[in-house]
Amino acid sequence: MKIVKKIVSHFILRGKQNKRVLLVNLLILFILFQGYSYQKSIIIGGEKGWNDLSKMEGVTTGVGRFGLESIELSTKMPQVTGETDLLLTFDEKDNFDFVGNYNVISNNLTYTKDSIKGKGAGLSRGVTNGITLKGNKYSLLGRQGLMGSFTIEFWLSPSIAENGEKILSWRSSINTKPYPDYQMIVASINNNRLEWRFNNVFPLYQDTDILLSGFSTIIPGEWSRHTLTYNDETGCLEYLVDGRTEAIKYITTTNHEDGTVCMPFVGEGAKLEICPNYTGKIDNFRIQRTSYEETSEDIYNTGNEPFRMNGGRFETNPILISNAATLNEVNAIMNIPEQTDIRLFVRSGENYCNWTENYPEWKEVLSGEEISGVTGLYFQVAAELLPDGSGSKTPSVTQLELKYTETPSPLPPFTVTAIPGDSCVTLTWSYSVDDNAGGYYVYYGNRPGEYMGRAAVEGMSPVKVGNTTSLKLTGLENGKIYYFAISSYSRIDNKINGTLSKEVYARPSARLSKY
């Protein structure tokens, strides 16, 4: 740029005393630098947002640098299967059952972003009665009948872990005698531990009151995963904390595996209360119609890591450049916490319609470093986001800036003439002053500015004539007017076509047969 400024200053000084000289000098400057390639850039993301993505796997939008929208890893969301009875993720301010088997009767939980899974958790404030649900005829706890195998699981982060706090409460009744008995499933805190109590849920079992108490201390402010599971084949009722067995009991006639299994039975459908008397956070509450060991751990998201360990990837749409270009650099505004990483990839081509997942081949690049060998009419960028080894941190991308050099369009000829003849027109033009010009296209038609001619023996408009300065178009209709214009195409790539010259016209006539 310093050289350009010096040349401009030189020409201006020479032309100060004569305006005509100055204009000529500026025209020469325009011609000299028309052929030079200038670096341009395209912004993806940033203030524009991330609407131009063709692929998002394992990633989602979040808040990045400067408060702008970013791309980051999505959290490990629990899955809904055919055996899922209830799923509350607490990721929205309005809680609902993802399965649709339970209706929310009342909801006094407060939404908080301080979650262990997903985007949010439920915050209970002690005496607010939490959230109450009523199951339909397809739910385990909302209709009368055998339950079979089941698993109840949730994450807790209590504020105080006070004695008597209730996390779950289901109370119903069952007719096993001439008079009804109450039924109850309650999970509550006692001596800083969670305990489960069942009353009359297993009618054939010798003890109407069953208690499973954990030995792990619940620590205020820390998340822990609590799982209660029953297997109807073995009669095993088991309580686990963070995947480790805390208490186990066989609900059989012998209290061992070899006894007859006593099945759970729901007498009357009743409401399910979650956090009816609890202070703290709860996340991802699930009821599954299978025992814990019968279901893949992926369903329960048993790991403590909030982000996907295999990372995520996004790809932009193919980006059209007006002329063939060379990608010079990709500058990314990123946030990469310790032990996380972001890998950037680019590829290019002339026609993206035949692109596949791996063709053209992706090339890995580094942000801010020079790129070589990436040219074409289309560019595409991809990024892989990788978490840390514990899956607790995610990197993010706020903006991508693509810096590229565009091959300039060559200037058209400055002078063009059209001489009519008998059923023909002879066109001549000057060579383009642009060194980038490698040849010429001749456009023709019957209306000004509309060059859609088909009549000439030499071909339909435009006619590619190579690096020459004349063409005789034959087979034209006498008496009809024709309009013509010339463009130059690049010597680097003949697909790069410049602007049109001034328009000329001619009318063929039989009386001009000598031409």
Side-chain angles (χ1 to χ4, degrees), residues 101-144:
N101 288 335
Y102 292 80
N103 294 320
V104 176
I105 304 301
S106 63
N107 179 23
N108 296 298
L109 296 180
T110 302
Y111 172 81
T112 174
K113 293 182 179 180
D114 186 11
S115 64
I116 184 67
K117 300 292 183 183
K119 295 183 177 180
L123 176 62
S124 179
R125 301 186 184 276
V127 295
T128 57
N129 296 322
I131 181 171
T132 303
L133 303 103
K134 174 68 175 177
N136 60 26
K137 61 181 181 180
Y138 303 106
S139 64
L140 283 180
L141 300 176
R143 54 103 175 101
Q144 186 178 30

Side-chain angles (χ1 to χ4, degrees), residues 290-487:
T290 54
S291 64
Y292 182 82
E293 59 267 28
E294 292 175 321
T295 307
S296 166
E297 288 192 355
D298 291 338
I299 297 299
Y300 296 119
N301 287 335
T302 55
N304 288 341
E305 66 276 359
F307 298 108
R308 299 175 184 273
M309 294 301 296
N310 59 349
R313 179 185 176 96
F314 71 85
E315 297 176 6
T316 67
N317 288 312
I319 302 165
L320 174 64
I321 306 299
S322 58
N323 290 325
T326 300
L327 185 60
N328 301 323
E329 193 177 303
V330 175
N331 285 323
I333 298 177
M334 303 179 290
N335 180 35
I336 306 179
E338 186 179 6
Q339 301 179 28
T340 68
D341 197 12
I342 294 176
R343 301 174 64 196
L344 299 175
F345 301 86
V346 297
R347 64 178 178 176
S348 62
E350 300 298 325
N351 185 354
Y352 75 89
C353 295
N354 63 345
W355 288 12
T356 64
E357 184 176 348
N358 297 312
Y359 175 82
E361 184 178 357
W362 290 99
K363 180 175 183 178
E364 186 171 0
V365 299
L366 295 176
S367 176
E369 292 199 359
E370 185 178 349
I371 299 172
S372 61
V374 180
T375 62
L377 291 173
Y378 292 90
F379 294 148
Q380 190 174 21
V381 185
E384 288 184 0
L385 281 66
L386 303 172
D388 64 324
S390 63
S392 60
K393 301 176 185 177
T394 175
S396 63
V397 183
T398 301
Q399 178 180 290
L400 296 173
E401 180 184 18
L402 280 61
K403 292 185 177 181
Y404 63 94
T405 301
E406 190 174 58
T407 305
S409 302
L411 293 171
F414 283 168
T415 60
V416 181
T417 59
I419 301 175
D422 183 7
S423 300
C424 66
V425 172
T426 299
L427 294 164
T428 59
W429 56 89
S430 62
Y431 280 111
S432 172
V433 296
D434 194 336
D435 288 339
N436 285 326
Y440 303 91
Y441 284 103
V442 174
Y443 293 78
Y444 69 96
N446 297 117
R447 296 178 65 87
E450 296 182 9
Y451 308 113
M452 304 177 66
R454 292 174 171 268
V457 174
E458 289 68 27
M460 295 186 298
S461 176
V463 180
K464 187 178 180 181
V465 298
N467 195 20
T468 184
T469 58
S470 66
L471 175 67
K472 184 176 183 180
L473 290 175
T474 61
L476 304 181
E477 184 177 344
N478 286 331
K480 181 175 286 188
I481 191 170
Y482 291 87
Y483 297 87
F484 307 91
I486 313 294
S487 72

